[in-house]
Amino acid sequence: MARTAEKAAVPAQAGPTKTVRKRYEEIRVGDLHVDQTLDSARLFGTNTAEDAGPAAQRKKDAAWTARLMKMWDPFALLPAIVSLREDSRYYLLDGQHSTEVAVEKEGPDFLRDCMVYEGLSNEQEAKLFLAANRDRKAVKPFDIFRVSITAGDPRNTRILAEVESRDLGISGSTSANKIGAVQALTALAVMDEKHAARDESGSLIYPLVLPEGRSPLIPQVLQVVEDAWGRNPATWEGIMLRAIAMVLDRNPGAQLDRLSRKLAGHGTRKPLTVAQWKESSIANTVGGGGSSSRSAPLAKLIVNEYNTGLTEQFLIHPGRPDKD
């Protein structure tokens, strides 16, 4: 059962004979359907031409759906885009994944704000679907980060505080005193959260409570790279930040001063640079890989170098970031 939030319809001509009306309504998420004959069959991984409600819709990306589940906030749920067809059913043109999460979190009677289009042709539905799912300009990670601070996001607020504890800042581009690797910093924060205390509902406790012997990774990693190479843009390379964090995450008792010396190449004929370490990681990565996958072989190289010359207290090689 839908509830109209705004009765006034806004007519718009769609071709010479057909009129499209649009309005806002609150609609039960259990009444929102997915037409598998739309391009959603391709984009959302479905392979049947039969209509399915959101609970039956196959997930395109399990990781994305899981992320939406963790981020669930009814207040921040944006309106879905819906087509009301002649069969009197509401079909989603945008908002499939979040509707699926709403059904699971709140139940089928949860009312979702929707922009409802009535009288659309198949071609017009397809155009709106593409506009919603393809024709969007990607938002830069730093812009998302900056706005999330204003919104009071606890993880990003913690990231900013830990970076500022080193008298550094976060920016859209990297400089001597500004870190632009927002995604790498987020990866470090997530590593900490794997070990942090949670309440009875499973939610993280803030301020973050880590087990004895563990300290937040971001300040440690920033100290290590600054001691190794000083403050310059190359120091804050995201691949390097991730790799060192992987090493420290597996080896919380590592000696930071020794790690810095080994990274800088102390005792070798020529100092080692971040670029040289990065080249080595790429050479050991099949197909080049992204920043995360290149960090794994780099972390192993760092452990090997750290362990060189030791007769005891060796570091343990970290596994893949997603397979501890």
Side-chain angles (χ1 to χ4, degrees):
M1 195 75 176
R3 188 161 65 197
T4 303
E6 195 172 304
K7 294 183 178 180
V10 182
Q13 293 298 321
T17 59
K18 198 168 186 179
T19 299
V20 174
R21 293 181 174 85
K22 57 183 178 179
R23 62 186 179 275
Y24 277 105
E25 289 186 26
E26 288 182 306
I27 303 175
R28 290 179 66 252
V29 288
D31 293 331
L32 297 175
H33 298 272
V34 176
D35 182 351
Q36 312 294 8
T37 64
L38 279 174
D39 276 351
S40 56
R42 173 177 59 82
L43 292 178
F44 292 94
T46 55
N47 59 3
T48 174
E50 298 178 0
D51 168 64
Q57 182 188 351
R58 293 186 182 180
K59 297 179 179 67
K60 173 197 175 187
D61 186 338
W64 176 245
T65 303
R67 182 181 178 190
L68 289 179
M69 292 283 288
K70 292 180 180 179
M71 295 166 48
W72 176 251
D73 182 352
F75 174 79
L77 185 63
L78 297 177
I81 300 176
V82 173
S83 174
L84 176 59
R85 294 184 181 169
E86 293 180 354
D87 63 1
S88 299
R89 302 179 90 181
Y90 298 95
Y91 291 86
L92 285 157
L93 302 179
D94 183 49
Q96 289 93 331
H97 284 97
S98 52
T99 295
E100 181 180 351
V101 173
V103 170
E104 187 164 346
K105 283 283 191 180
E106 305 290 343
D109 291 330
F110 177 76
L111 295 176
R112 178 168 191 177
D113 291 335
C114 298
M115 169 60 81
V116 179
Y117 288 81
E118 185 176 359
L120 291 173
S121 66
N122 290 342
E123 180 182 359
Q124 289 169 323
E125 281 190 351
K127 286 182 177 179
L128 284 172
F129 179 89
L130 289 174
N133 293 283
R134 182 197 67 186
D135 303 334
R136 286 175 171 168
K137 183 179 179 181
V139 182
K140 295 180 180 179
F142 173 68
D143 292 329
I144 295 174
F145 179 86
R146 180 173 55 185
V147 174
S148 73
I149 295 297
T150 304
D153 178 82
R155 174 189 290 163
N156 288 339
T157 299
R158 177 172 70 90
I159 290 173
L160 181 61
E162 290 178 355
V163 170
E164 290 181 341
S165 74
R166 297 291 306 168
D167 294 323
L168 292 163
I170 300 174
S171 178
S173 58
T174 300
S175 62
N177 296 301
K178 299 283 187 179
I179 302 172
V182 175
Q183 291 171 308
L185 292 172
T186 301
L188 273 58
V190 171
M191 289 185 199
D192 281 338
E193 292 170 5
K194 292 186 304 180
H195 309 285
R198 297 176 179 268
D199 61 23
E200 294 181 355
S201 68
S203 299
L204 285 165
I205 297 173
Y206 286 95
L208 216 61
V209 180
L210 295 174
E212 185 177 353
R214 282 192 175 272
S215 300
L217 286 169
I218 289 176
Q220 293 184 84
V221 171
L222 296 182
Q223 176 185 334
V224 166
V225 295
E226 183 176 352
D227 288 348
W229 298 293
R231 293 197 174 192
N232 62 77
T235 298
W236 320 120
E237 169 62 54
I239 295 172
M240 180 59 74
L241 300 183
R242 289 175 184 261
I244 296 172
M246 290 168 61
V247 173
L248 295 178
D249 182 54
R250 185 57 61 88
N251 301 277
Q255 300 176 30
L256 300 188
D257 56 346
R258 178 181 177 85
L259 184 55
S260 295
R261 292 196 305 271
K262 288 292 186 176
L263 287 169
H266 289 181
T268 59
R269 293 181 61 185
K270 288 185 179 180
L272 295 174
T273 66
V274 176
Q276 288 172 318
W277 281 103
K278 185 177 176 181
E279 288 172 7
S280 297
S281 71
I282 295 173
N284 284 274
T285 304
V286 177
S291 59
S292 181
S293 62
R294 279 181 283 169
S295 295
L298 177 54
K300 292 180 180 179
L301 292 175
I302 292 171
V303 168
N304 288 341
E305 185 62 26
Y306 181 100
N307 287 340
T308 300
L310 288 178
T311 57
E312 57 182 9
Q313 294 184 332
F314 292 97
L315 296 191
I316 301 171
H317 285 93
R320 291 172 58 88
D322 55 343
K323 293 184 179 180
D324 270 351

